[in-house]
Amino acid sequence: MPLLEICCYGIDCAVTAQLAGADRLELCSAPKEGGLTPSAGVLRKVKERVSIPVHPIIRPRGGDFCYTDAEFETMLEDIAFVRELGYPGLVIGMLDGEGHVDVSRMKRVMEQAKGMAVTFHRAFDMCHNPHQALEQLTDLGVARILTSGQQQNAELGLSLLRELKQHSRAPIIMAGAGVRLSNLKKFVDQGIDEMHSSAGQTVPSPMRYRKAGVSMSADAEADEFNRYCVDGDVVAAMKAVLVAGKTAA
């Protein structure tokens, strides 16, 4: 049966996703940055309270995936920490200045993450040659590639997703970006084995007093009295679609 991975920003989201039937979680912070490395406290608490597989993202900042030496050393330290905590896998990705997989650094990542399942994230969608990248990541021993098929969303990238799956000698091709309940069956019908979704909703802050004219965000348009949460009903509905598809098959 196709597997459902839910992207979670914090412990409450992780617990909700698990209770709703998610198969695996990607654990991140900073949704507006597209996902950054979770804090030590979050990593510890999620490990205590969540029993399904959780793969933390290792990403020190937003923006591109070409890192300085100091950033890369920080990433290696974070990998060592999540491995020490007993996480079974992690999510990471890095490119060189020409848009190719940074093979030399990824070799060090794989050494540091020995025994863990490594997912190469959507840095793949920014790389120059996806077929070359697939071969390089296969040789590195990466477990899976999270990709939208190099399009803005995975539905638009279905053609490349299908092609990558057909040519992959080992890594699982996991569809991500815009995978939701309304289009989930399209990915199932194309034989995609794993789906990655935020299955999220925006919920209002519980604060009744709201100070006017002061913001903690550099974005003047940001609404700081709403936050992202996993929608457990949506996760359960997505899982039901996958179960129904398996039963029908």
Side-chain angles (χ1 to χ4, degrees):
M1 184 172 68
L3 181 147
L4 179 62
E5 177 180 275
I6 299 297
C7 180
C8 296
Y9 294 93
I11 188 164
D12 290 336
C13 290
V15 171
T16 296
Q18 174 176 254
L19 291 173
D23 298 299
R24 185 177 62 232
L25 310 181
E26 179 191 46
L27 183 62
C28 312
S29 65
K32 291 183 180 178
E33 294 282 6
L36 301 183
T37 308
S39 72
V42 169
L43 287 164
R44 286 194 174 99
K45 288 301 178 184
V46 168
K47 195 71 180 67
E48 289 175 6
R49 295 187 59 187
V50 175
S51 58
I52 62 174
V54 178
H55 293 182
I57 194 171
I58 306 296
R59 188 178 177 218
R61 58 161 173 79
D64 63 51
F65 304 104
C66 186
Y67 297 107
T68 67
D69 289 343
E71 288 170 337
F72 180 58
E73 292 301 322
T74 299
M75 296 168 84
L76 292 179
E77 291 285 341
D78 287 335
I79 293 169
F81 182 62
V82 299
R83 183 181 176 190
E84 180 183 336
L85 288 176
Y87 279 97
L90 58 85
V91 181
I92 197 167
M94 51 194 65
L95 305 175
D96 63 23
E98 300 305 314
H100 302 295
V101 173
D102 192 331
V103 173
S104 61
R105 282 182 168 177
M106 280 300 300
K107 284 181 179 177
R108 292 186 64 190
V109 165
M110 299 305 291
E111 291 169 2
Q112 190 80 323
K114 188 174 181 180
M116 302 176 74
V118 174
T119 297
F120 194 90
H121 61 43
R122 291 191 62 221
F124 184 89
D125 292 322
M126 306 298 286
C127 75
H128 183 72
N129 185 325
H131 297 287
Q132 179 189 52
L134 173 60
E135 291 304 309
Q136 291 171 325
L137 294 171
T138 301
D139 292 341
L140 284 163
V142 163
R144 66 183 47 77
I145 298 169
L146 171 60
T147 173
S148 64
Q150 295 210 317
Q151 298 295 324
Q152 188 62 28
N153 65 67
E155 189 170 350
L156 293 174
L158 258 174
S159 176
L160 181 58
L161 287 169
R162 184 173 59 247
E163 192 175 332
L164 291 169
K165 175 180 165 57
Q166 290 171 347
H167 287 88
S168 179
R169 293 183 284 114
I172 295 166
I173 303 302
M174 179 165 59
V179 176
R180 50 179 59 92
L181 179 60
S182 60
N183 62 13
L184 185 61
K185 194 171 183 301
K186 292 183 179 181
F187 299 97
V188 175
D189 291 345
Q190 292 299 318
I192 304 301
D193 298 311
E194 298 191 0
M195 268 64 75
H196 172 98
S197 177
S198 62
Q201 61 180 336
T202 300
V203 299
S205 166
M207 291 193 67
R208 293 180 296 277
Y209 174 74
R210 302 186 177 192
K211 178 70 174 179
V214 179
S215 174
M216 297 295 107
S217 175
D219 180 1
E221 302 300 317
D223 182 352
E224 295 170 301
F225 294 100
N226 283 288
R227 66 184 187 280
Y228 164 90
C229 289
V230 166
D231 187 331
D233 291 340
V234 171
V235 175
M238 293 180 77
K239 183 67 176 179
V241 169
L242 300 182
V243 171
K246 173 65 174 177
T247 303

